[in-house]
């Protein structure tokens, strides 16, 4: 299914940019880089993890800083612009031992895009 905003140049660019940022967030290199993560995550960031745990920006920065390297594959990403400065992404993550359905809400600010909310629901 194409994005709901397919065909609008600015929307297509926003979707492409946000998808690239989401993919970056899933790399081990980015997840170990606290400074980069702090720029990508909104100050009011929240996450409901696949485990059911709720995280805020501070707690997720601490968690990812101690995480062992995990290869996370982004599968079947679908995005849509839901407002002038908001993009919703839905995708499936796959690691060596788990899959989850993911949803991310990104917000454009004066300094670029930031992740506001993320949720993961286990599959299987």
């Amino acid at each position: 299914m194409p994005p709901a905003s397919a065909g609008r140049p600015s929307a297509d660019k926003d979707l492409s940019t946000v998808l690239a940022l989401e993919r970056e967030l899933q790399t081990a290199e980015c997840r170990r880089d606290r400074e980069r993560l702090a720029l990508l995550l909104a100050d009011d960031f929240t996450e409901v993890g696949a485990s059911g745990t709720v995280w805020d920006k501070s707690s997720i920065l601490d968690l990812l800083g101690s995480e062992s390297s995990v290869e996370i594959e982004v599968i079947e990403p679908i995005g849509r612009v839901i407002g002038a400065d908001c993009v919703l992404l839905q995708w499936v993550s796959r690691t060596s031992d788990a899959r989850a359905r993911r949803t991310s809400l990104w917000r454009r600010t004066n300094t670029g895009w930031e992740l506001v909310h993320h949720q993961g629901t286990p599959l299987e």
Side-chain angles (χ1 to χ4, degrees), residues 20-37:
L21 291 171
E22 186 76 46
R23 288 184 189 278
E24 178 187 354
L25 271 174
Q26 305 317 310
T27 65
E29 179 182 358
C30 182
R31 294 165 80 83
R32 285 190 306 262
D33 185 344
R34 188 178 181 98
E35 190 174 311
R36 179 65 176 147
L37 285 171

Side-chain angles (χ1 to χ4, degrees), residues 78-111:
I78 297 172
R80 64 184 174 134
V81 175
I82 60 171
D85 295 317
C86 290
V87 169
L88 181 70
L89 290 181
Q90 295 173 301
W91 52 284
V92 173
S93 66
R94 181 169 53 200
T95 63
S96 61
D97 61 350
R99 290 182 342 125
R101 187 163 311 282
R102 306 274 177 181
T103 302
S104 296
L105 180 61
W106 289 81
R107 172 176 60 206
R108 184 191 346 249
T109 68
N110 292 336
T111 58

